[in-house]
Amino acid sequence: MRSTRPRGRRIAALAALTLTLASLVPTTATAAPKPTVKAPAPAVVPQPVSQTSLSGSGFTLTAQTPVNVIASSDPDAAGVGTYLAGLLAPATGYTLPVTTTSQPVSQAIVLNPNGASTLGAEGYSLSSTGTGVTVTAHGAQGLFRGVQTLRQLLPAAIESTSVKPGPWTVAPVQISDNARYSYRGVMVDVARRFFPMDQLKRYIDQAAMYKINTLHLHLTDDQGWRIAIGAIPSLTTIGASTQSGFTGGTNWYYTAAEYQEIVAYAKSRFMTVVPEIDGPGHINSALASVPNLNCDDQPSPLYSGFAVGISLYCLSDPQHVSNVSDFLTTVIDTVASMTPGPYVHLGGDETPAATPSQYAAYVSAASSAVTSQGKTVMGWHQLGQSTIPANSIMQWWGSDGDRSTIGTSYENENVHFVRDAVQQNAKFVMSPSDHAYLDMLYDSSTPYGQDWQGHVPLSRAYDWDPTTSTAKLDGTGSLVPADRIAGVEAALWTDRAYAGWHRPATSTSQFPEPYVYAEHMSFPRLPAIAEIGWSPRSTHNYTDFSRRLGTHGARWSAAGIEYYAAPDVPWSTPPSSSSLIGVHTLTTGGKALDVPGSSGALDTQLDTWALHGGNNQKWTFVKQSDGSYILVNVASGLCADVSHGSLSAGAPIVQWTCSGTTNQQWQVTPAAGGGHTVTSVKSGLLLTTASTADGALVTQEPANGSALQRWTIG
Ligand code: TNX
């Protein structure tokens, strides 16, 4: 037995337990004699408080293994048993019986919600031996968190969506665990990019796997209004018809029933939904839908672009302040009435045009609407500049840049806003944008997102702590006292959820499906934020984290998660290469597909040139719904295009504004002689270079087996 997290009292308890287990295992009638080889330490993320590998071969599930829920007064406990059986069904092919009994049965997965209250709401203990698995918690929520650990003790193939051979052995281990912070969130910006119901539920399930317990939905922004408000239908008939890069939608919003379905789905994963109605800026979708929110009482034009900080409620005269206040009351009453969780988030970010008194008028109207519904105000940290109700929760999105000004003569306004909020007794959720913003590029190969906080590779997503995220850079003088920190949140913004992100998108073909964007940007970084929120600071160790996480790639592949195989992670199994999403070079005979002279001009014919790694030789592959790709040049932001949509052999391949038409779509297929052929969806002809000389021109040609049509995708 080896204690990975030495802790005095626990070691003694575990030594006693191990003696008991050692004497039990060999005498169990059903346990076949097996060598007592100790399995490698299970790689659980987030790292449990204490985890001890036991000897023995672990517990192997059969088609008859009961999921045995111990009777309790918690009405949700049986549901955790059903959830677990459902989780195990696709890969095992078993329909495990879920039973409720007053005493545990043997050779079972026992879920016992009657543990001591000292376990807390989310704590649990888990013991897995040859005789069975027991998860003990004080109520259903702790059982659910323990079940997420349990699934990680099974082989990676347990995440598969189709039946796999097994065996399904739970690693032998003793775990005792609890959450560091009670708020561990992820924000999804469904306003800039609308997530259909199934894609949002898929993301909820993925986040739950890492013990995320809060889903913050950024429901409104300039580019779209995503929640039906019965009394103001124009918000969705008009305000939901755009996204960043999209116009003309008719159902890019959640009906009241759909929103409630999301809330219920999240609740079934023990996740609280926090709805955000952003203001007083980020509000163009409402200004376009409700004329009297504008100073001239005329609706603003709809906005589907990519900028921030472009709009403001009219708050410059009493009549309009009253219009805004009435509007907010209607909206917030409706949203609050459909939200069982305690919070409504009021935004408050990026309002360059608001005067302090206009800003204060917004905060006053919005926060009284929230408190009159018995809810607690959340907001971005800027909200702290105004009067906020006591115990409001502010969300810090500042960075090391802001921290570097603390205590200097040039302390910036973000620092001031935090000081103001702390003085008003606010609590804080930490989302430092240089660590926890999932829309930042990992590195230069990231196909979408943005880089205003630089690159955020996995190491940076992991390398921070809530207690110092509002401290000076040397870690001292935290603006927010440790006991006012409610937790952490990762933020999945979607305003640049397209390839060629550093320029405005010109075509919807540049956008992957929302789930593809979400998974690429969140995996592997979301588990890093989840671990910071859950695990004790004493366990924080990047080498150990990345080793554990490296075994999760196989889980994500089994589940079909489109993760980014970050090069700084020691993946235990080679990342699956079924998808070419990302930035690549295409070479043949050592020469790369290239935009001559890094030209930005439309209609420039592509050539091949010695590979030098410049951006004019890099292409972002964006998967289309038919499995083909568009190829967006990183230097020009333009798309590889069969000139004039020609169907003829010999037609030039040029760069052109991305348009989504089939003469810009390419089927990429492994070729018999090595490399890939790249075939125009429009013409069926192949991307072909004329020769291996520098400057050889690229055209489309019929397949001829030549190496000049076989591209190595690097
Ligand atoms: C800033 S920081 C925003 C969002 C953008 C995001 C993109 C904050 C609260 N607001 O409006 O989507 O940057 O990274």
Side-chain angles (χ1 to χ4, degrees), residues 189 192 218 221 278 282 308 349-350 380 382 397 433 437 439-440 450 452 493-495:
D189 175 2
R192 273 63 168 270
H218 185 74
D221 213 304
D278 202 350
H282 289 277
V308 296
D349 54 323
E350 296 167 328
W380 299 105
Q382 287 101 321
W397 60 268
S433 47
Y437 268 29
D439 63 326
M440 293 301 133
Q450 50 192 324
W452 62 270
W493 297 105
T494 58
D495 34 347

PDB file of all heavy atoms in Angstrom, residues 189 192 218 221 278 282 308 349-350 380 382 397 433 437 439-440 450 452 493-495, ligand 1:
ATOM      1  N   ASP A 189     -21.016  31.040 -23.795  1.00  0.00           N
ATOM      2  CA  ASP A 189     -21.558  32.211 -24.488  1.00  0.00           C
ATOM      3  C   ASP A 189     -22.434  31.703 -25.633  1.00  0.00           C
ATOM      4  O   ASP A 189     -21.962  31.468 -26.743  1.00  0.00           O
ATOM      5  CB  ASP A 189     -20.374  33.052 -24.998  1.00  0.00           C
ATOM      6  CG  ASP A 189     -20.789  34.243 -25.845  1.00  0.00           C
ATOM      7  OD1 ASP A 189     -22.001  34.469 -26.027  1.00  0.00           O
ATOM      8  OD2 ASP A 189     -19.874  34.950 -26.329  1.00  0.00           O
ATOM      9  N   ARG A 192     -23.288  34.844 -28.714  1.00  0.00           N
ATOM     10  CA  ARG A 192     -22.538  35.049 -29.966  1.00  0.00           C
ATOM     11  C   ARG A 192     -22.679  33.844 -30.884  1.00  0.00           C
ATOM     12  O   ARG A 192     -22.679  33.965 -32.100  1.00  0.00           O
ATOM     13  CB  ARG A 192     -21.074  35.312 -29.667  1.00  0.00           C
ATOM     14  CG  ARG A 192     -20.699  36.756 -29.388  1.00  0.00           C
ATOM     15  CD  ARG A 192     -21.356  37.347 -28.134  1.00  0.00           C
ATOM     16  NE  ARG A 192     -20.752  38.604 -27.772  1.00  0.00           N
ATOM     17  CZ  ARG A 192     -19.706  38.718 -26.939  1.00  0.00           C
ATOM     18  NH1 ARG A 192     -19.194  37.643 -26.353  1.00  0.00           N
ATOM     19  NH2 ARG A 192     -19.196  39.908 -26.681  1.00  0.00           N
ATOM     20  N   HIS A 218     -24.413  32.728 -20.782  1.00  0.00           N
ATOM     21  CA  HIS A 218     -24.370  34.124 -21.256  1.00  0.00           C
ATOM     22  C   HIS A 218     -25.450  34.230 -22.337  1.00  0.00           C
ATOM     23  O   HIS A 218     -25.220  33.961 -23.501  1.00  0.00           O
ATOM     24  CB  HIS A 218     -22.967  34.402 -21.797  1.00  0.00           C
ATOM     25  CG  HIS A 218     -22.722  35.809 -22.212  1.00  0.00           C
ATOM     26  ND1 HIS A 218     -22.556  36.850 -21.322  1.00  0.00           N
ATOM     27  CD2 HIS A 218     -22.611  36.366 -23.444  1.00  0.00           C
ATOM     28  CE1 HIS A 218     -22.345  37.975 -21.981  1.00  0.00           C
ATOM     29  NE2 HIS A 218     -22.380  37.708 -23.274  1.00  0.00           N
ATOM     30  N   ASP A 221     -26.450  39.193 -25.726  1.00  0.00           N
ATOM     31  CA  ASP A 221     -25.325  40.063 -26.076  1.00  0.00           C
ATOM     32  C   ASP A 221     -25.721  40.861 -27.313  1.00  0.00           C
ATOM     33  O   ASP A 221     -26.846  40.733 -27.810  1.00  0.00           O
ATOM     34  CB  ASP A 221     -24.036  39.255 -26.287  1.00  0.00           C
ATOM     35  CG  ASP A 221     -22.796  40.056 -25.862  1.00  0.00           C
ATOM     36  OD1 ASP A 221     -22.609  41.174 -26.391  1.00  0.00           O
ATOM     37  OD2 ASP A 221     -22.028  39.584 -25.000  1.00  0.00           O
ATOM     38  N   ASP A 278     -26.920  40.433 -19.822  1.00  0.00           N
ATOM     39  CA  ASP A 278     -25.824  41.410 -19.762  1.00  0.00           C
ATOM     40  C   ASP A 278     -26.359  42.835 -19.967  1.00  0.00           C
ATOM     41  O   ASP A 278     -27.319  43.051 -20.695  1.00  0.00           O
ATOM     42  CB  ASP A 278     -24.792  41.055 -20.847  1.00  0.00           C
ATOM     43  CG  ASP A 278     -23.399  41.617 -20.559  1.00  0.00           C
ATOM     44  OD1 ASP A 278     -23.253  42.440 -19.634  1.00  0.00           O
ATOM     45  OD2 ASP A 278     -22.456  41.227 -21.274  1.00  0.00           O
ATOM     46  N   HIS A 282     -23.449  45.628 -24.252  1.00  0.00           N
ATOM     47  CA  HIS A 282     -23.667  44.278 -24.797  1.00  0.00           C
ATOM     48  C   HIS A 282     -25.160  44.011 -24.995  1.00  0.00           C
ATOM     49  O   HIS A 282     -25.649  42.920 -24.688  1.00  0.00           O
ATOM     50  CB  HIS A 282     -23.077  43.217 -23.861  1.00  0.00           C
ATOM     51  CG  HIS A 282     -21.576  43.194 -23.851  1.00  0.00           C
ATOM     52  ND1 HIS A 282     -20.833  42.520 -24.804  1.00  0.00           N
ATOM     53  CD2 HIS A 282     -20.673  43.777 -23.023  1.00  0.00           C
ATOM     54  CE1 HIS A 282     -19.544  42.677 -24.542  1.00  0.00           C
ATOM     55  NE2 HIS A 282     -19.411  43.451 -23.473  1.00  0.00           N
ATOM     56  N   VAL A 308     -16.738  44.273 -29.610  1.00  0.00           N
ATOM     57  CA  VAL A 308     -17.344  44.379 -28.274  1.00  0.00           C
ATOM     58  C   VAL A 308     -17.436  45.854 -27.903  1.00  0.00           C
ATOM     59  O   VAL A 308     -16.789  46.707 -28.510  1.00  0.00           O
ATOM     60  CB  VAL A 308     -16.527  43.621 -27.195  1.00  0.00           C
ATOM     61  CG1 VAL A 308     -16.504  42.127 -27.457  1.00  0.00           C
ATOM     62  CG2 VAL A 308     -15.118  44.174 -27.090  1.00  0.00           C
ATOM     63  N   ASP A 349     -19.985  44.337 -17.984  1.00  0.00           N
ATOM     64  CA  ASP A 349     -18.660  44.481 -18.591  1.00  0.00           C
ATOM     65  C   ASP A 349     -18.680  45.436 -19.777  1.00  0.00           C
ATOM     66  O   ASP A 349     -19.720  45.650 -20.396  1.00  0.00           O
ATOM     67  CB  ASP A 349     -18.143  43.104 -19.049  1.00  0.00           C
ATOM     68  CG  ASP A 349     -19.140  42.389 -19.967  1.00  0.00           C
ATOM     69  OD1 ASP A 349     -20.355  42.519 -19.733  1.00  0.00           O
ATOM     70  OD2 ASP A 349     -18.699  41.711 -20.910  1.00  0.00           O
ATOM     71  N   GLU A 350     -17.549  45.999 -20.060  1.00  0.00           N
ATOM     72  CA  GLU A 350     -17.271  46.720 -21.314  1.00  0.00           C
ATOM     73  C   GLU A 350     -18.364  47.707 -21.728  1.00  0.00           C
ATOM     74  O   GLU A 350     -19.092  47.487 -22.685  1.00  0.00           O
ATOM     75  CB  GLU A 350     -17.024  45.709 -22.439  1.00  0.00           C
ATOM     76  CG  GLU A 350     -15.790  44.883 -22.165  1.00  0.00           C
ATOM     77  CD  GLU A 350     -15.680  43.664 -23.063  1.00  0.00           C
ATOM     78  OE1 GLU A 350     -16.704  43.097 -23.445  1.00  0.00           O
ATOM     79  OE2 GLU A 350     -14.551  43.280 -23.376  1.00  0.00           O
ATOM     80  N   TRP A 380     -19.983  40.826 -13.604  1.00  0.00           N
ATOM     81  CA  TRP A 380     -18.547  40.974 -13.840  1.00  0.00           C
ATOM     82  C   TRP A 380     -18.016  42.008 -12.860  1.00  0.00           C
ATOM     83  O   TRP A 380     -18.786  42.834 -12.345  1.00  0.00           O
ATOM     84  CB  TRP A 380     -18.296  41.371 -15.303  1.00  0.00           C
ATOM     85  CG  TRP A 380     -18.795  40.311 -16.256  1.00  0.00           C
ATOM     86  CD1 TRP A 380     -19.922  40.380 -17.028  1.00  0.00           C
ATOM     87  CD2 TRP A 380     -18.223  39.019 -16.495  1.00  0.00           C
ATOM     88  NE1 TRP A 380     -20.081  39.213 -17.740  1.00  0.00           N
ATOM     89  CE2 TRP A 380     -19.051  38.350 -17.440  1.00  0.00           C
ATOM     90  CE3 TRP A 380     -17.107  38.350 -16.015  1.00  0.00           C
ATOM     91  CZ2 TRP A 380     -18.790  37.056 -17.902  1.00  0.00           C
ATOM     92  CZ3 TRP A 380     -16.843  37.057 -16.484  1.00  0.00           C
ATOM     93  CH2 TRP A 380     -17.668  36.431 -17.415  1.00  0.00           C
ATOM     94  N   GLN A 382     -16.682  44.745 -12.848  1.00  0.00           N
ATOM     95  CA  GLN A 382     -16.968  46.177 -13.009  1.00  0.00           C
ATOM     96  C   GLN A 382     -18.191  46.619 -12.213  1.00  0.00           C
ATOM     97  O   GLN A 382     -18.329  47.788 -11.869  1.00  0.00           O
ATOM     98  CB  GLN A 382     -17.219  46.541 -14.483  1.00  0.00           C
ATOM     99  CG  GLN A 382     -15.984  46.544 -15.353  1.00  0.00           C
ATOM    100  CD  GLN A 382     -15.898  45.286 -16.179  1.00  0.00           C
ATOM    101  OE1 GLN A 382     -16.230  44.197 -15.702  1.00  0.00           O
ATOM    102  NE2 GLN A 382     -15.411  45.414 -17.394  1.00  0.00           N
ATOM    103  N   TRP A 397     -12.363  39.005 -14.047  1.00  0.00           N
ATOM    104  CA  TRP A 397     -11.817  38.522 -15.317  1.00  0.00           C
ATOM    105  C   TRP A 397     -10.528  39.263 -15.668  1.00  0.00           C
ATOM    106  O   TRP A 397     -10.058  39.181 -16.799  1.00  0.00           O
ATOM    107  CB  TRP A 397     -12.852  38.638 -16.439  1.00  0.00           C
ATOM    108  CG  TRP A 397     -13.331  40.037 -16.707  1.00  0.00           C
ATOM    109  CD1 TRP A 397     -14.413  40.645 -16.156  1.00  0.00           C
ATOM    110  CD2 TRP A 397     -12.729  40.999 -17.580  1.00  0.00           C
ATOM    111  NE1 TRP A 397     -14.527  41.933 -16.616  1.00  0.00           N
ATOM    112  CE2 TRP A 397     -13.493  42.170 -17.501  1.00  0.00           C
ATOM    113  CE3 TRP A 397     -11.612  40.972 -18.422  1.00  0.00           C
ATOM    114  CZ2 TRP A 397     -13.191  43.326 -18.229  1.00  0.00           C
ATOM    115  CZ3 TRP A 397     -11.313  42.131 -19.145  1.00  0.00           C
ATOM    116  CH2 TRP A 397     -12.102  43.281 -19.036  1.00  0.00           C
ATOM    117  N   SER A 433      -8.630  36.166 -17.074  1.00  0.00           N
ATOM    118  CA  SER A 433      -8.748  35.961 -18.520  1.00  0.00           C
ATOM    119  C   SER A 433      -7.462  35.431 -19.138  1.00  0.00           C
ATOM    120  O   SER A 433      -7.499  34.876 -20.234  1.00  0.00           O
ATOM    121  CB  SER A 433      -9.173  37.267 -19.194  1.00  0.00           C
ATOM    122  OG  SER A 433      -8.392  38.344 -18.722  1.00  0.00           O
ATOM    123  N   TYR A 437      -9.859  31.852 -19.605  1.00  0.00           N
ATOM    124  CA  TYR A 437     -10.687  32.143 -20.778  1.00  0.00           C
ATOM    125  C   TYR A 437     -10.422  31.077 -21.837  1.00  0.00           C
ATOM    126  O   TYR A 437      -9.332  31.015 -22.429  1.00  0.00           O
ATOM    127  CB  TYR A 437     -10.381  33.544 -21.320  1.00  0.00           C
ATOM    128  CG  TYR A 437     -11.284  34.612 -20.734  1.00  0.00           C
ATOM    129  CD1 TYR A 437     -11.822  34.461 -19.459  1.00  0.00           C
ATOM    130  CD2 TYR A 437     -11.617  35.760 -21.450  1.00  0.00           C
ATOM    131  CE1 TYR A 437     -12.663  35.431 -18.926  1.00  0.00           C
ATOM    132  CE2 TYR A 437     -12.460  36.727 -20.916  1.00  0.00           C
ATOM    133  CZ  TYR A 437     -12.979  36.550 -19.653  1.00  0.00           C
ATOM    134  OH  TYR A 437     -13.817  37.497 -19.112  1.00  0.00           O
ATOM    135  N   ASP A 439     -11.526  30.846 -24.712  1.00  0.00           N
ATOM    136  CA  ASP A 439     -11.491  31.281 -26.120  1.00  0.00           C
ATOM    137  C   ASP A 439     -10.100  31.771 -26.527  1.00  0.00           C
ATOM    138  O   ASP A 439      -9.889  32.081 -27.706  1.00  0.00           O
ATOM    139  CB  ASP A 439     -12.533  32.375 -26.402  1.00  0.00           C
ATOM    140  CG  ASP A 439     -12.305  33.649 -25.616  1.00  0.00           C
ATOM    141  OD1 ASP A 439     -11.831  33.568 -24.452  1.00  0.00           O
ATOM    142  OD2 ASP A 439     -12.612  34.739 -26.142  1.00  0.00           O
ATOM    143  N   MET A 440      -9.155  31.823 -25.583  1.00  0.00           N
ATOM    144  CA  MET A 440      -7.797  32.210 -25.979  1.00  0.00           C
ATOM    145  C   MET A 440      -7.137  31.057 -26.741  1.00  0.00           C
ATOM    146  O   MET A 440      -7.368  29.885 -26.432  1.00  0.00           O
ATOM    147  CB  MET A 440      -6.947  32.555 -24.748  1.00  0.00           C
ATOM    148  CG  MET A 440      -7.403  33.801 -24.028  1.00  0.00           C
ATOM    149  SD  MET A 440      -7.382  35.247 -25.095  1.00  0.00           S
ATOM    150  CE  MET A 440      -9.006  35.923 -24.727  1.00  0.00           C
ATOM    151  N   GLN A 450      -9.209  33.766 -29.888  1.00  0.00           N
ATOM    152  CA  GLN A 450      -8.498  35.032 -30.010  1.00  0.00           C
ATOM    153  C   GLN A 450      -7.322  35.086 -29.058  1.00  0.00           C
ATOM    154  O   GLN A 450      -7.098  34.161 -28.292  1.00  0.00           O
ATOM    155  CB  GLN A 450      -9.428  36.214 -29.844  1.00  0.00           C
ATOM    156  CG  GLN A 450     -10.342  36.184 -28.627  1.00  0.00           C
ATOM    157  CD  GLN A 450     -11.398  37.271 -28.757  1.00  0.00           C
ATOM    158  OE1 GLN A 450     -11.133  38.347 -29.268  1.00  0.00           O
ATOM    159  NE2 GLN A 450     -12.609  36.995 -28.311  1.00  0.00           N
ATOM    160  N   TRP A 452      -6.128  38.183 -27.242  1.00  0.00           N
ATOM    161  CA  TRP A 452      -5.865  39.453 -26.549  1.00  0.00           C
ATOM    162  C   TRP A 452      -5.229  39.247 -25.179  1.00  0.00           C
ATOM    163  O   TRP A 452      -4.675  40.190 -24.623  1.00  0.00           O
ATOM    164  CB  TRP A 452      -7.108  40.348 -26.494  1.00  0.00           C
ATOM    165  CG  TRP A 452      -8.298  39.808 -25.754  1.00  0.00           C
ATOM    166  CD1 TRP A 452      -9.303  39.064 -26.282  1.00  0.00           C
ATOM    167  CD2 TRP A 452      -8.627  39.997 -24.364  1.00  0.00           C
ATOM    168  NE1 TRP A 452     -10.231  38.754 -25.316  1.00  0.00           N
ATOM    169  CE2 TRP A 452      -9.851  39.317 -24.132  1.00  0.00           C
ATOM    170  CE3 TRP A 452      -8.022  40.657 -23.304  1.00  0.00           C
ATOM    171  CZ2 TRP A 452     -10.460  39.283 -22.869  1.00  0.00           C
ATOM    172  CZ3 TRP A 452      -8.629  40.633 -22.046  1.00  0.00           C
ATOM    173  CH2 TRP A 452      -9.834  39.953 -21.849  1.00  0.00           C
ATOM    174  N   TRP A 493     -16.097  31.959 -24.310  1.00  0.00           N
ATOM    175  CA  TRP A 493     -16.657  32.993 -25.181  1.00  0.00           C
ATOM    176  C   TRP A 493     -16.683  32.470 -26.613  1.00  0.00           C
ATOM    177  O   TRP A 493     -15.853  31.627 -26.988  1.00  0.00           O
ATOM    178  CB  TRP A 493     -15.808  34.268 -25.104  1.00  0.00           C
ATOM    179  CG  TRP A 493     -15.794  34.891 -23.747  1.00  0.00           C
ATOM    180  CD1 TRP A 493     -14.777  34.859 -22.849  1.00  0.00           C
ATOM    181  CD2 TRP A 493     -16.852  35.642 -23.139  1.00  0.00           C
ATOM    182  NE1 TRP A 493     -15.137  35.539 -21.704  1.00  0.00           N
ATOM    183  CE2 TRP A 493     -16.395  36.026 -21.862  1.00  0.00           C
ATOM    184  CE3 TRP A 493     -18.133  36.016 -23.543  1.00  0.00           C
ATOM    185  CZ2 TRP A 493     -17.184  36.778 -20.985  1.00  0.00           C
ATOM    186  CZ3 TRP A 493     -18.918  36.769 -22.675  1.00  0.00           C
ATOM    187  CH2 TRP A 493     -18.442  37.143 -21.413  1.00  0.00           C
ATOM    188  N   THR A 494     -17.603  33.007 -27.398  1.00  0.00           N
ATOM    189  CA  THR A 494     -17.758  32.470 -28.757  1.00  0.00           C
ATOM    190  C   THR A 494     -17.771  33.563 -29.828  1.00  0.00           C
ATOM    191  O   THR A 494     -18.230  33.322 -30.939  1.00  0.00           O
ATOM    192  CB  THR A 494     -19.054  31.642 -28.862  1.00  0.00           C
ATOM    193  OG1 THR A 494     -20.153  32.484 -28.502  1.00  0.00           O
ATOM    194  CG2 THR A 494     -19.034  30.437 -27.958  1.00  0.00           C
ATOM    195  N   ASP A 495     -17.287  34.762 -29.472  1.00  0.00           N
ATOM    196  CA  ASP A 495     -17.363  35.819 -30.486  1.00  0.00           C
ATOM    197  C   ASP A 495     -16.402  35.591 -31.648  1.00  0.00           C
ATOM    198  O   ASP A 495     -16.545  36.204 -32.691  1.00  0.00           O
ATOM    199  CB  ASP A 495     -17.213  37.234 -29.896  1.00  0.00           C
ATOM    200  CG  ASP A 495     -16.289  37.326 -28.708  1.00  0.00           C
ATOM    201  OD1 ASP A 495     -15.920  36.297 -28.130  1.00  0.00           O
ATOM    202  OD2 ASP A 495     -15.929  38.456 -28.349  1.00  0.00           O
TER     203      ASP A 495
HETATM  204  C1  TNX B   1     -14.329  40.180 -23.119  1.00  0.00           C
HETATM  205  S1  TNX B   1     -14.199  40.064 -20.243  1.00  0.00           S
HETATM  206  C2  TNX B   1     -15.672  40.046 -22.846  1.00  0.00           C
HETATM  207  C3  TNX B   1     -16.527  39.367 -23.809  1.00  0.00           C
HETATM  208  C4  TNX B   1     -15.741  38.816 -24.950  1.00  0.00           C
HETATM  209  C5  TNX B   1     -14.428  38.264 -24.457  1.00  0.00           C
HETATM  210  C6  TNX B   1     -13.617  37.607 -25.521  1.00  0.00           C
HETATM  211  C7  TNX B   1     -15.757  40.176 -20.460  1.00  0.00           C
HETATM  212  C8  TNX B   1     -16.562  40.077 -19.285  1.00  0.00           C
HETATM  213  N1  TNX B   1     -16.276  40.395 -21.683  1.00  0.00           N
HETATM  214  O1  TNX B   1     -17.532  40.227 -24.263  1.00  0.00           O
HETATM  215  O2  TNX B   1     -16.494  37.804 -25.548  1.00  0.00           O
HETATM  216  O3  TNX B   1     -13.689  39.314 -23.917  1.00  0.00           O
HETATM  217  O4  TNX B   1     -12.446  37.046 -25.042  1.00  0.00           O
END
